[in-house]
Amino acid sequence: MARFQCKCGVTLSNSKAPNDVELTVYTDKEWDDIINQGDFIDPISIPFPRYDVWRCNSCERIYVFDGNTVVRTYILEKGDLSTLN
């Protein structure tokens, strides 16, 4: 369980399970390697992703952690949301 303060001031926490902060993110190759292990995949044998990825529910920044260190921060650009539909 961890806590982290977003640049917008909101405190992020993964203490609740499930939560809306912590994302499970695999590269396509990592996921392909996992699902090609055999006919039956035991969910317990699925490895944790390489990086921890957290999303702030307030400003939607994305933080990528390698261990306890933030290695990338992403923020949404303001734009015309009508192009997403």
Side-chain angles (χ1 to χ4, degrees):
M1 292 184 247
R3 294 171 64 119
F4 178 79
Q5 185 165 0
C6 180
K7 291 182 179 181
C8 74
V10 170
T11 299
L12 307 177
S13 173
N14 68 348
S15 63
K16 292 183 181 177
N19 63 68
D20 290 329
V21 171
E22 198 170 16
L23 307 177
T24 304
V25 179
Y26 295 93
T27 66
D28 189 49
K29 181 173 180 339
E30 289 170 332
W31 190 247
D32 195 54
D33 290 344
I34 290 168
I35 64 171
N36 286 318
Q37 291 177 0
D39 291 337
F40 176 76
I41 301 170
D42 181 6
I44 296 174
S45 71
I46 295 175
F48 288 106
R50 179 174 176 197
Y51 298 104
D52 289 321
V53 180
W54 288 25
R55 179 187 61 214
C56 177
N57 292 320
S58 180
C59 71
E60 297 189 0
R61 274 185 179 87
I62 301 288
Y63 293 96
V64 179
F65 294 85
D66 189 357
N68 292 328
T69 304
V70 175
V71 293
R72 296 280 189 275
T73 302
Y74 298 93
I75 187 168
L76 292 178
E77 294 182 1
K78 294 184 181 191
D80 183 7
L81 296 178
S82 67
T83 59
L84 298 176
N85 294 330

